Amino acid sequence: HTETVSEYIRRDALDLAFEFDFAGAILKAAQGGRKDELAYALENAAASYPPNRYATMITNHDQDRVASVLREDLSRMKLAANLLLTAPGVPFVYYGEEIGQVGANPAEMIRNPMPWTAGPNGGFTAAARPREPGHERRNVAVQDRDPDSLLNHYRRLIRLRQAEPALARGDFRGVDTGRDDVIAWERSADGRRLLVLTNLSGDEIADYRLPGASLRLSAELLHGEAAGDSTALDLAARTTYVYVVSN
């Protein structure tokens, strides 16, 4: 748990520790469309560790893969990626998550080769190895050509995180939205403030609130949406927006 593991970081016994409570909260938010556990995990991690001194993830090599947990629902897998890669901490992506590779325990079925192509053994090796079901369509070569694929969604998120110091290493502040299915937080660094706003539900949402009568938002960085008064923004289902705060 966060309270136990974070003590090793505070005493400088370790540089980083994996934040399992946050990982579990991402999955629950993507599955259930509610923010309660995720909001608590974010606030608890921010209060427990030195700033950004924890490793975040969705699943690892000992757990059922996120695509299997989320039943290969593309919108939920993209949502989980959004939450991981806009949150504080040092994110880790278990190989295959970026293409929706499936797998459930036993271990050999969650650690099977990365499918690079639809060819024999997924283009990974000439040796016969266990392959995941559906690797013919779920591989890097196929998704590389599809701009709406999970792989290219991960690429956009990673490029944005690399380009924005506020996302990569910035401070964190939770923002109340007045709803259980909309979560928001602010990341800031070097005088630049970003608002991360996520609709966790499967429906479009317009009825929510943010603190302040008129947060002025000068640009949306992930989708290129029009910005302006934060009270007028409709939120598409299971979608994250990253706005530059101009005031």
Side-chain angles (χ1 to χ4, degrees):
H1 293 294
T2 297
E3 292 81 3
T4 301
V5 173
S6 61
E7 187 168 340
Y8 291 90
I9 310 302
R10 291 195 303 270
R11 291 192 283 112
D12 282 328
L14 296 171
D15 293 323
L16 290 174
F18 280 107
E19 182 39 48
F20 281 87
D21 290 353
F22 176 62
I26 288 178
L27 283 174
K28 288 185 178 179
Q31 287 173 308
R34 292 293 181 268
K35 72 177 186 182
D36 49 351
E37 289 194 37
L38 179 61
Y40 175 79
L42 281 162
E43 296 284 358
N44 195 32
S48 299
Y49 295 91
N52 292 302
R53 285 273 304 275
Y54 49 97
T56 57
M57 63 181 190
I58 307 174
T59 62
N60 71 9
H61 63 285
D62 288 323
Q63 299 170 306
D64 292 351
R65 285 184 172 274
V66 60
S68 294
V69 174
L70 298 179
R71 300 176 183 269
E72 300 184 62
D73 185 311
L74 181 60
S75 66
R76 286 184 166 91
M77 289 188 289
K78 287 183 175 181
L79 174 59
N82 295 344
L83 299 172
L84 173 69
L85 291 166
T86 58
V90 180
F92 284 70
V93 178
Y94 182 44
Y95 81 90
E97 283 184 348
E98 71 273 41
I99 59 169
Q101 186 169 345
V102 297
N105 276 293
E108 59 267 22
M109 297 313 296
I110 54 176
R111 303 175 190 174
N112 47 16
M114 176 79 172
W116 295 97
T117 71
N121 301 312
F124 181 85
T125 177
R129 298 286 298 165
R131 292 175 295 173
E132 64 159 33
H135 83 279
E136 298 86 358
R137 59 180 172 81
R138 196 187 298 104
N139 62 69
V140 174
V142 167
Q143 293 197 24
D144 185 54
R145 300 190 294 267
D146 178 2
D148 295 322
S149 69
L150 184 61
L151 174 63
N152 281 312
H153 186 71
Y154 265 90
R155 286 170 171 167
R156 284 189 290 272
L157 286 164
I158 290 169
R159 286 169 184 152
L160 179 59
R161 190 178 181 98
Q162 290 175 329
E164 290 288 343
L167 289 180
R169 56 174 173 80
D171 294 336
F172 165 86
R173 181 179 70 87
V175 175
D176 182 31
T177 65
R179 293 187 63 116
D180 293 333
D181 49 7
V182 178
I183 191 167
W185 57 78
E186 188 177 292
R187 306 292 311 279
S188 58
D190 305 328
R192 185 168 170 89
R193 296 166 59 200
L194 302 180
L195 175 71
V196 179
L197 181 60
T198 302
N199 177 1
L200 300 171
S201 80
D203 300 309
E204 183 178 287
I205 290 176
D207 180 21
Y208 64 97
R209 70 169 186 267
L210 294 171
S214 57
L215 265 179
R216 296 303 300 174
L217 308 175
S218 61
E220 200 285 319
L221 303 177
L222 192 53
H223 309 281
E225 300 279 343
D229 187 338
S230 61
T231 61
L233 302 172
D234 292 346
L235 308 178
R238 299 193 184 102
T239 300
T240 295
Y241 303 86
V242 181
Y243 287 100
V244 178
V245 181
S246 59
N247 66 324

